[in-house]
Amino acid sequence: MTTTPELNVTFYDHLQPKATAGVYTVTMNHRLTLNGSPVDTAGAQLPQVADRYEIRVAQFTLDPTFVHASYPPADAAGLYTYVLPHITLTRAILPWERELQGRAPRAPWLALLVFAEGEVLDDPTAEGAFTQRTVGELRRPGSGLLGPELSGELDESVQCRTIDVPTDVFTAIVPREDELLQLAHVRDVKTAPQRRDNGEILREGEYAVLAANRFPRAEGRYAVHLVSLEGWIGRLAPGALPADAVVRLCTLWSWSFTNDPDGSLNPGELLADLVAPGADHRENLALRLTPDTAGRAASPEEEHARERLHHGYTAVPYRTLSGEHTYAWYRGPFTPLTAPDVPRTEADGPYTTADHALIYDPEHGLFDVSYAAAWTLGRTIALADPEYSAEVIEARRELANRSATLSALSMDRERALHDPDALPAGTALRELAGARFGRDLVGALKAPLAAETRRSRLAPPARREAPALLADARTRQSLSAVAEASTPTASAWMERLGLLRGVPFNHLVPDPRMLPPESLRLFRLDPGWIRALVAGASDVGAHTSVDRDLDEVLRARLTRSLGTTEPVAGLLMNSELVRAWPVFDILASRGTDHAPVNELRRDHLAPDVLLVLWDDLPDRIAIREPSQGIHFGISAAKRINLRHLDGDQIGERTGEQFPAAGPDLFDTHLRPARGSAQPDVLDLRGLLPALKTALRLTADPTPAQFALELVNAPLEQLLLPANNA
């Protein structure tokens, strides 16, 4: 089963710096005490010491290494109507390092603003563009323009990024002073590094996250700017700025994306459509042809054909040995039903033709060519690989040579005791190296001479051929060693073949109507078909009777790893989702404890076609919408999927939505729109108290709690047994 490292993310409201940016004076006075009482040092005091220190942090520029990720991704196009753009910063304390005048230190001095096309004068096409100006031009922009009211001594020659925004646009989208706190939080990640689909790499550490308050509801391009609100406190509320003025902002980072609802895929809808046929009847997700026979009486022949189709077969052209053109039944390794066992013995094969695997139905006069086609395909794949076929042919030759050697040795009782693989004089050398050799030699030399015992002449044993050699454990072990030494890669090659790698798609799904576009099909594996495929590959190079007699030794070597990786069930998906999001979770399990079913293979057979094979039959399959990292927003139903904020299930969905019924969030908790535009900016002043009631809290949600509620987790579709559906 495909797994990813466990992800453990903790949300915090903020980081409180010990001291914010600014100039500080440290004064030190010396005082002499004795046993805690001051000592009179009149006329001899040490002078007072004072020193000034400045804490400098980012103000008008941002180090690019501070930006960890942004969402939506830069220059991306997709369905982002229900997403609140956000930016992740590697410097977790950055949003709180500067203190906004008149606000508590924990209020962030940064805000993320989202602009549509035509709203930023410097960037009418919403490309994320800006104008490079000096701090002096930012601070005092000129007639008709409003800049930030910055205090203190500043180097006004420093260059910074700026944008000019009409006052009505700025006032409409900028967070209010009491909303700033809710749009920034700290993310503490504890996980092994893992890459998300949008390129963001989640690494262990602390990160600051700033979210926007505007949904990109309208179709088109949007620019996102990370702006400084230093010098703007007290001027964020409606009516605080002249209506006909232009605001000049310092932007530290920017990017753009396109909201394209019609031209993008909706993974939630695609997944729902893929599993929808199973809601009517689970057999609708089986891999088979289902002809439309409503209202038609069927003849016995038609009933037979329908039964065959129901079992996963399809009709294919076939020419008999006598030259007649007819049709035959064919079914690949994927079956909608459990395939019956095929009677066989370990001595079956090797074969040189596929006729042994033909199945004849005398009642209807038709052939089933499924296993014959599998055997032929296995042989073809093997012969097409010169390295594999050469290795198997060489192994057969070495086995034949070893068999001849062992047969010759079997005629001499003394020589038959020696290992043919041993080095010349190896036995004598081992005796010389023995610990008792010297002692035994001295004892033999001291012993009195004895008369030689005459040996009786025995008839030599009969020559043993290959079948008799295999019956002897020692000689069989010698033959097995030859097979293993001669096939260093063939076993792994056969294991890949057992997982159907290299098998053409039309052998797996013989009729494209079995897997139409935007469909999902489940199946079992026919072990007989896979055995026939493997037999076709292992029978390569078998020509003589010795090859036949020794085939079981070679076959045992070639197929020794197949039993541990034999696929039992699988899934096929033909959908645009496969092309658009190649990586998404398909989690299979079985039993009441949801024990995971191991995933043996996952491959894209075509840009739109995904194949998954499991080593067991699952009774629960979870297909999850592709995750794009941790991002924020609402569901396609325009509601917030509420999450637990405490207890053992913290972070998990409660099963409730907000609003629970009636008008959706867009209808109830957005600010009034400008002119004829549709509302798209969150009204946090009304939303937070309403969430407090829905979550049964005693106070408004904190920034961390609010962020957790807006985490937009991927959709999940479940395939369950009928009694659980």
Side-chain angles (χ1 to χ4, degrees):
M1 181 180 67
T2 300
T3 59
T4 55
E6 182 180 354
L7 180 61
N8 187 345
V9 180
T10 305
F11 293 87
Y12 296 100
D13 294 338
H14 59 272
L15 285 181
Q16 182 70 50
K18 296 296 183 181
T20 56
V23 178
Y24 295 84
T25 301
V26 178
T27 303
M28 183 171 62
N29 293 305
H30 299 83
R31 187 176 60 177
L32 185 63
T33 63
L34 178 62
N35 297 326
S37 302
V39 176
D40 184 13
T41 56
Q45 300 96 334
L46 291 174
Q48 185 184 72
V49 178
D51 204 352
R52 286 165 56 90
Y53 296 90
E54 181 179 2
I55 298 178
R56 294 182 178 179
V57 298
Q59 184 174 15
F60 300 112
T61 59
L62 186 66
D63 187 338
T65 62
F66 288 175
V67 179
H68 177 64
S70 58
Y71 189 85
D75 299 320
L79 177 62
Y80 302 118
T81 303
Y82 312 110
V83 169
L84 291 174
H86 78 269
I87 188 170
T88 306
L89 304 173
T90 57
R91 187 170 178 82
I93 203 172
L94 178 63
W96 300 275
E97 282 188 306
R98 306 195 69 84
E99 185 174 354
L100 291 178
Q101 185 177 3
R103 298 292 298 167
R106 63 178 183 173
W109 62 282
L110 297 170
L112 204 62
L113 303 185
V114 180
F115 298 98
E117 296 178 78
E119 293 183 343
V120 177
L121 301 182
D122 307 72
D123 187 18
T125 57
E127 301 288 337
F130 53 85
T131 301
Q132 199 81 15
R133 296 185 175 96
T134 66
V135 172
E137 292 173 310
L138 169 68
R139 198 175 190 180
R140 292 181 293 275
S143 178
L145 296 169
L146 300 175
E149 297 176 348
L150 301 175
S151 59
E153 297 179 4
L154 299 173
D155 184 354
E156 295 191 352
S157 64
V158 172
Q159 295 285 318
C160 61
R161 301 175 175 184
T162 65
I163 53 174
D164 290 346
V165 183
T167 301
D168 61 333
V169 175
F170 175 74
T171 302
I173 67 174
V174 72
R176 307 296 180 238
E177 295 179 21
D178 53 351
E179 296 177 341
L180 289 173
L181 184 65
Q182 298 292 336
L183 297 174
H185 65 274
V186 176
R187 176 195 299 174
D188 185 10
V189 179
K190 290 182 172 59
T191 179
Q194 54 180 281
R195 181 181 293 276
R196 313 302 290 181
D197 289 346
N198 68 334
E200 178 181 359
I201 301 178
L202 293 178
R203 298 186 185 276
E204 186 169 349
E206 290 184 340
Y207 302 88
V209 181
L210 288 101
N213 63 344
R214 186 181 190 183
F215 293 97
R217 292 186 65 185
E219 182 178 359
R221 197 164 185 86
Y222 287 83
V224 188
H225 287 265
L226 180 65
V227 303
S228 168
L229 292 183
E230 274 195 300
W232 292 105
I233 295 303
R235 300 193 290 171
L236 304 182
L241 298 173
D244 56 351
V246 173
V247 169
R248 178 164 293 176
L249 300 171
C250 174
T251 174
L252 287 85
W253 196 262
S254 63
W255 76 95
S256 65
F257 65 92
T258 301
N259 184 36
D260 185 13
D262 296 330
S264 62
L265 301 179
N266 186 326
E269 292 183 2
L270 285 175
L271 283 178
D273 292 342
L274 287 173
V275 304
D280 298 332
H281 198 289
R282 60 180 179 176
E283 289 293 327
N284 292 338
L285 296 179
L287 186 67
R288 61 163 64 97
L289 286 173
T290 307
D292 184 9
T293 58
R296 292 176 50 193
S299 63
E301 291 77 13
E302 288 180 339
E303 284 292 346
H304 172 73
R306 292 179 186 179
E307 181 183 8
R308 283 283 181 163
L309 294 177
H310 184 75
H311 290 176
Y313 286 89
T314 186
V316 295
Y318 182 68
R319 188 175 66 177
T320 64
L321 291 177
S322 59
E324 298 173 342
H325 289 274
T326 179
Y327 74 92
W329 293 111
Y330 172 78
R331 183 176 67 188
F334 303 155
T335 72
L337 306 172
T338 302
D341 292 334
V342 178
R344 67 188 182 101
T345 65
E346 293 299 328
D348 285 348
Y351 298 99
T352 56
T353 70
D355 290 349
H356 73 283
L358 283 173
I359 301 173
Y360 182 65
D361 179 5
E363 181 179 354
H364 298 91
L366 295 172
F367 281 99
D368 179 344
V369 298
S370 303
Y371 296 154
W375 187 92
T376 303
L377 177 63
R379 187 178 184 85
T380 303
I381 294 175
L383 293 174
D385 189 330
E387 294 182 2
Y388 168 80
S389 55
E391 194 170 293
V392 172
I393 292 172
E394 176 66 19
R396 292 192 185 279
R397 181 162 49 248
E398 291 297 325
L399 282 172
N401 293 339
R402 175 55 57 87
S403 174
T405 300
L406 293 174
S407 295
L409 291 176
S410 67
M411 300 179 64
D412 188 323
R413 288 188 173 88
E414 293 295 330
R415 296 178 62 193
L417 297 176
H418 294 281
D419 184 358
D421 287 327
L423 295 173
T427 303
L429 289 175
R430 285 194 297 273
E431 290 178 357
L432 289 172
R436 297 179 53 86
F437 176 76
R439 188 184 312 166
D440 293 343
L441 179 61
V442 172
L445 292 175
K446 290 181 177 181
L449 296 176
E452 180 180 0
T453 304
R454 181 180 297 274
R455 296 184 179 181
S456 60
R457 287 184 168 273
L458 299 176
R463 182 186 181 96
R464 291 191 297 173
E465 300 299 334
L469 293 174
L470 292 178
D472 181 77
R474 185 169 174 273
T475 55
R476 186 184 184 94
Q477 181 180 2
S478 177
L479 291 169
S480 298
V482 171
E484 183 166 356
S486 304
T487 55
T489 64
S491 181
W493 187 95
M494 193 67 75
E495 181 180 348
R496 293 192 296 271
L497 183 65
L499 292 177
L500 306 177
R501 299 187 186 276
V503 176
F505 184 71
N506 62 336
H507 281 74
L508 302 176
V509 183
D511 194 312
R513 292 172 293 178
M514 291 181 168
L515 188 69
E518 296 307 321
S519 66
L520 179 148
R521 296 293 182 264
L522 303 172
F523 54 83
R524 299 189 182 207
L525 273 295
D526 182 356
W529 198 98
I530 296 180
R531 283 198 297 267
L533 176 76
V534 170
S538 63
D539 288 350
V540 167
H543 302 295
T544 67
S545 59
V546 175
D547 292 336
R548 182 196 63 234
D549 294 338
L550 300 177
D551 182 69
E552 62 176 287
V553 176
L554 181 60
R555 191 192 318 160
R557 159 63 182 167
L558 296 179
T559 62
R560 67 177 183 178
S561 59
L562 289 179
T564 59
T565 59
E566 185 174 352
V568 174
L571 172 149
L572 277 167
M573 183 184 296
N574 181 4
S575 172
E576 290 184 68
L577 185 65
V578 178
R579 182 193 298 267
W581 293 282
V583 180
F584 58 95
D585 290 334
I586 301 179
L587 306 177
S589 59
R590 63 178 292 110
T592 56
D593 57 346
H594 302 307
V597 174
N598 293 322
E599 187 176 289
L600 299 178
R601 180 186 175 192
R602 181 188 289 216
D603 268 329
H604 289 75
L605 305 182
D608 292 341
V609 178
L610 176 70
L611 168 66
V612 180
L613 297 180
W614 296 296
D615 69 349
D616 203 347
L617 183 65
D619 53 25
R620 184 181 188 272
I621 302 172
I623 305 176
R624 293 178 180 170
E625 177 187 2
S627 173
Q628 300 292 333
I630 299 178
H631 59 268
F632 305 97
I634 59 177
S635 68
K638 305 174 187 176
R639 302 181 189 277
I640 298 175
N641 293 312
L642 298 179
R643 297 177 178 275
H644 291 283
L645 295 177
D646 53 22
D648 296 335
Q649 294 181 301
I650 186 169
E652 297 183 15
R653 290 182 176 176
T654 65
E656 301 177 2
Q657 291 184 326
F658 174 84
D664 56 48
L665 188 137
F666 282 176
D667 295 328
T668 55
H669 294 290
L670 297 182
R671 294 180 188 174
R674 294 183 300 112
S676 59
Q678 58 183 343
D680 54 10
V681 178
L682 272 177
D683 178 16
L684 295 182
R685 290 177 171 176
L687 175 60
L688 293 175
L691 274 177
K692 166 189 167 183
T693 302
L695 294 168
R696 303 171 186 86
L697 301 175
T698 58
D700 288 350
T702 66
Q705 292 174 332
F706 182 60
L708 184 59
E709 293 302 327
L710 288 180
V711 169
N712 216 349
L715 177 70
E716 181 178 83
Q717 290 288 351
L718 295 177
L719 298 175
L720 302 169
N723 57 349
N724 291 339

